[in-house]
Amino acid sequence: SPITILKKKINMLRKSVLLTLSMISANSSIATAFITPQNLITNNAAPFIVHSSSENTKRYLSADEAKETPAAPAPPEIHVDKLDMRVGVITKAWLHPEADKLYCEEIDIGEEEPRQIASGLRAYYNLEDLEGQRVLVLANLKTRKLVGFPSHGMVMCASKDDKVEFIVPPEDAKIGERVSVEGYDGEPATENQIVKKKMLNAIFPGLATNDEGVPCYKGVPFNTSTGVCKAQNNMANAEVA
């Protein structure tokens, strides 16, 4: 009958309104125009106002209709495995022509061409001590100019009480091998991610040498396939960067 058809249409409209109300924040209540079947059947009856919230509405909806949007996943934590630290050897070194604290170096880290890196080491090492020195290189840093010299990477060192020492790999560690830290085995970040997400600010405070002069991240040693790395002269309890 026409009345039955009208009632079905009214029920569909009612359900649509309730679904809309379910999207309203649970902490807010609003006054919403709501038409009941009785209102529509009675020609002269005016719609009335009700207060509703998502909690009230859920009583009228099925479990599937009342599903809440899942929370967004937490951003991944930043740890030492975002760093790409490589075993390297200094093949060439010279004085920076315009900066009295910097050396310029070419360092083989297993790539087609050696990395050019500037290091503020002139107060701590003689020039003749550098060539042939095995080092760790933080490789996934963007090239930046240091007093005009394009430096692509950073030589890792321990520092304490105005003293600085190279972090050195074992003598038989392969050039280009990536240094690992047990328990942190993710892929390294890109050079852009390191900068954009300020990863060094998050990671470097967790780097230090232990009582034996072994560089660690949160107490876990820097490792290679042939053993742990060390501060060159076993500098203990020092910052690493």
Side-chain angles (χ1 to χ4, degrees):
S1 69
I3 295 297
T4 301
I5 294 172
L6 180 59
K7 285 184 177 181
K8 287 182 178 180
K9 290 184 177 181
I10 292 169
N11 284 333
M12 292 175 62
L13 178 60
R14 181 173 179 270
K15 189 173 183 179
S16 175
V17 173
L18 288 172
L19 284 170
T20 302
L21 291 176
S22 71
M23 289 186 256
I24 299 171
S25 169
N27 293 326
S28 65
S29 296
I30 65 170
T32 306
F34 189 84
I35 304 174
T36 68
Q38 291 80 4
N39 292 140
L40 291 177
I41 294 170
T42 305
N43 291 333
N44 297 324
F48 62 91
I49 303 299
V50 297
H51 291 273
S52 179
S53 70
S54 60
E55 282 302 316
N56 293 331
T57 305
K58 286 177 187 176
R59 291 183 298 164
Y60 298 95
L61 302 176
S62 68
D64 287 339
E65 293 168 333
K67 283 182 180 177
E68 295 182 359
T69 303
E77 294 186 8
I78 297 173
H79 292 296
V80 70
D81 50 5
K82 297 299 182 184
L83 304 183
D84 189 8
M85 294 183 290
R86 301 280 173 172
V87 174
V89 59
I90 300 174
T91 57
K92 183 179 179 180
W94 63 98
L95 302 178
H96 192 297
E98 299 178 22
D100 57 9
K101 294 183 179 180
L102 296 177
Y103 287 126
C104 301
E105 306 115 17
E106 288 187 356
I107 305 178
D108 180 6
I109 60 170
E111 298 175 334
E112 290 186 5
E113 298 290 334
R115 290 287 185 103
Q116 289 197 334
I117 297 176
S119 306
L121 297 171
R122 283 172 68 169
Y124 311 104
Y125 284 93
N126 295 320
L127 181 61
E128 57 268 23
D129 296 330
L130 299 186
E131 290 189 15
Q133 176 64 54
R134 292 168 68 85
V135 293
L136 291 192
V137 172
L138 179 53
N140 57 336
L141 298 179
K142 296 184 75 171
T143 300
R144 63 189 185 108
K145 287 191 175 182
L146 296 181
V147 197
F149 182 81
S151 181
H152 190 192
M154 183 170 70
V155 177
M156 301 296 288
C157 294
S159 60
K160 180 182 179 182
D161 299 332
D162 297 324
K163 296 180 181 179
V164 173
E165 295 180 5
F166 288 122
I167 299 295
V168 296
E171 284 298 323
D172 50 353
K174 184 179 178 180
I175 298 299
E177 178 181 352
R178 187 185 176 200
V179 172
S180 63
V181 177
E182 186 176 359
Y184 303 94
D185 52 4
E187 291 298 313
T190 66
E191 294 178 358
N192 284 333
Q193 287 173 333
I194 289 285
V195 175
K196 185 176 181 180
K197 298 186 178 182
K198 300 181 179 179
M199 291 186 176
L200 300 187
N201 293 342
I203 298 168
F204 275 12
L207 303 182
T209 59
N210 62 16
D211 292 342
E212 288 76 41
V214 175
C216 301
Y217 175 69
K218 296 184 176 181
V220 185
F222 288 15
N223 238 316
T224 71
S225 59
T226 60
V228 299
C229 303
K230 297 201 78 173
Q232 188 173 25
N233 295 308
N234 301 319
M235 183 184 287
N237 304 312
E239 296 179 358
V240 174

